[in-house]
Structures are given as structure tokens and as C-alpha cells.
Amino acid sequence: MTSTPEPAGTPAAAAGQPLVHLGRVNKHFGALHVLQNIDLDVAKGEVVVVIGPSGSGKSTLCRAINRLETIDDGVIELDGKPLPAEGKALAKLRSDVGMVFQSFNLFAHKSILENVTLGPIKVRGLKKKQAVAEAMELLERVGVATQADKMPAQLSGGQQQRVAIARALAMRPKVILFDEPTSALDPEMVNEVLDVMVSLAKEGMTMIVVTHEMGFARKAADRVVFMADGQIVEESDPESFFTNPQSDRARDFLGKIL
Ligand code: ADP
Ligand code: MG
């Protein structure tokens, strides 16, 4: 079979440019080279699971994409544009790139409903009534609408994390980063959060998910990226990665978590 080679210099345009692009990204913390020549493209609608030992740079990678961390060199682009450094453009970036952390991070002194309406009112400029209507719809979607008037501490960890997902969605993000969203949860609450994430994935949300939950990766991931010591060591589809890892480091890591 013949295939037409792409002309040199043509961006990967046929399938559209990647939504998230990292090229040769480097980051140091003092002497520690925490991100080493990271190249990563995430297409619109793609779900990428990032897996790897503690300390390998996964959280730093997420934080860099949200510009909670600066990088030393290389490029990070969202929708073909470099991440803005400051001002309104940075606030817009933070709403375009949703983030769900391990430790829920809800506003402790605001109700569940206020947690979800605050961003849309302040950043998207919605009227309160509209923000409440959208928030209730999202809370319904993640299964916690009946808890809307409660305070975060009155909810279980699994419920709080689902609120955190609703709060991220309320900003209408282009991509959501999940940094070990279930690792602080009691085991019986892990699935209720993963189920919400699986349905988001199926609905076409672009997601970068740091997790060791193999079940999630198998159900929802298009690609698994394995990181160790600041580098992307290998990447493949979830089935190949889990059944036939190529590197010693991945084999060693999987031997420890499975
Ligand atoms: P992971 O999420 O894969 O566990 P991290 O990105 O959190 O890894 O951290 C990678 C390395 O960078 C670790 O050795 C960690 O101690 C170090 N590190 C993370 N954040 C900072 C920081 N703000 N200052 C100094 N070192 C940091
Ligand atoms: Mg981490």
C-alpha cells in the first residue's frame, strides 16, 4: 500500500492540531531535574492516563499545564497558543484547564452550591440565577444535587470529590487534569468517583489523569503514559501497557502496584 507522506513543515493538521502540546519541556527544582525533555500531545477528546512512581514528576507536569508552575524551557500550548503568563489571559487559562486534586480542595466555608457557582459568576460573568441553574445540573450529573446546601465537611470524601469535578466542569474547561483524584479516598468511595470520570471520558471530555487505577485506564484511557525520574519512559494503549510493558522500569513499577 502506498501512503502519501505529509509535506515537511505541515503541522499535524489533518486531524486538527493537538489541544494540549508540550515540546521539549524542562523544569528544575534547584538541582533536581524534575521534567526532562517532555514531549506530549493530547488531542481533543483524548483521555491520557499518566502513571509512574512517586516523585517522578506527574504532579509537576499537571501543574505546569495549568501554569501553577513555570517551566525552564520548552513550550506548552493550549489550542495552539503558548500559555499566558499573567493577567486576564492567565485567569482564562485556569478556567480552560480544569484541575481536580487528590485533596478535593473545596472552599471549606462555602456551601456545595456556592463552591460550584463562584467561578462561573466571577470568571465567566454569569448572573447568579444562571450559575445556580447550571450548577444544579452539574451536581445532578455527578449525583450530589441533594447535598447542594450542605457544607463540604458534611459530605463524604467521594461526594466532595464529585463536587470538585462539578466545580471544574462549571468553568466549561477545554481539558481537565486529574491528579490522583481517588488516592485520598476510602476504598469504598473510589468507584463512585471513577464512574463519573468514565462517563465524562465517554462524553468526549479531554482528560489528563494521573492515577494508578488500572480499571479506569482500561475502561477509559486512549493512551497510558509511563513516567519515571522526570521522563516519559514509554507510552502505549492501556492493554499493551498493562499486559506487555516494554521497559524494565515499567515492569518493575507494575510489579509493585498490581
Ligand atoms: P509525583 O507527582 O510524580 O509524585 P512530583 O511532581 O510531585 O512527583 O514531584 C517530583 C519531584 O519534585 C519530587 O522529588 C518532589 O519532591 C520534587 N518537588 C515537587 N515540588 C517541588 C517544589 N515546589 N520544590 C522543590 N521540589 C519539589
Ligand atoms: Mg503527585
Side-chain angles (χ1 to χ4, degrees):
M1 244 177 68
T2 56
S3 65
T4 317
E6 266 191 40
T10 301
Q17 67 192 0
L19 181 63
V20 180
H21 166 72
L22 286 84
R24 309 294 287 175
V25 169
N26 284 282
K27 166 82 181 171
H28 296 77
F29 287 121
L32 180 70
H33 196 174
V34 61
L35 296 178
Q36 302 181 22
N37 289 321
I38 299 289
D39 288 316
L40 180 68
D41 281 347
V42 181
K44 191 167 186 296
E46 196 179 13
V47 177
V48 173
V49 160
V50 181
I51 188 167
S54 177
S56 54
K58 307 178 301 295
S59 293
T60 306
L61 179 77
C62 289
R63 292 170 57 80
I65 296 171
N66 204 6
R67 221 177 187 286
L68 293 167
E69 297 282 359
T70 56
I71 56 174
D72 300 336
D73 60 77
V75 58
I76 305 182
E77 291 173 349
L78 180 70
D79 249 347
K81 292 183 213 77
L83 302 189
E86 56 189 15
K88 274 196 174 163
L90 181 58
K92 172 78 166 72
L93 172 82
R94 296 264 164 79
S95 60
D96 282 344
V97 182
M99 183 116 189
V100 175
F101 300 90
Q102 178 175 332
S103 52
F104 330 139
N105 287 21
L106 297 179
F107 307 117
H109 303 292
K110 305 264 180 214
S111 73
I112 296 308
L113 182 62
E114 287 168 329
N115 262 276
V116 183
T117 55
L118 207 65
I121 291 170
K122 286 214 161 136
V123 181
R124 289 178 52 212
L126 291 195
K127 293 271 188 297
K128 186 169 175 204
K129 196 173 164 204
Q130 177 68 21
V132 167
E134 288 190 16
M136 287 309 298
E137 210 168 285
L138 288 168
L139 290 172
E140 188 75 50
R141 189 160 147 201
V142 301
V144 289
T146 55
Q147 315 294 313
D149 295 328
K150 293 194 179 158
M151 301 301 281
Q154 295 174 280
L155 271 59
S156 73
Q159 290 173 321
Q160 288 187 56
Q161 195 60 306
R162 286 183 281 147
V163 174
I165 295 172
R167 184 176 63 174
L169 288 171
M171 300 307 284
R172 306 254 174 104
K174 293 179 175 167
V175 51
I176 306 188
L177 314 175
F178 294 82
D179 191 1
E180 304 208 32
T182 60
S183 50
L185 295 175
D186 292 334
E188 73 271 20
M189 293 171 188
V190 167
N191 281 333
E192 66 193 53
V193 173
L194 292 179
D195 287 349
V196 169
M197 292 167 58
V198 169
S199 41
L200 278 183
K202 294 208 164 120
E203 287 159 25
M205 177 59 74
T206 310
M207 298 162 64
I208 299 175
V209 184
V210 179
T211 184
H212 298 165
E213 293 288 341
M214 201 173 71
F216 172 79
R218 283 202 151 118
K219 262 188 236 165
D222 296 300
R223 188 153 43 113
V224 172
V225 169
F226 175 70
M227 274 185 85
D229 295 333
Q231 299 175 342
I232 293 181
V233 176
E234 64 178 273
E235 50 185 306
S236 62
D237 66 280
E239 208 52 45
S240 318
F241 179 75
F242 290 115
T243 56
N244 189 21
Q246 298 298 300
S247 63
D248 287 343
R249 273 152 138 186
R251 271 192 291 276
D252 181 54
F253 176 72
L254 289 173
K256 285 178 184 141
I257 63 159
L258 300 182

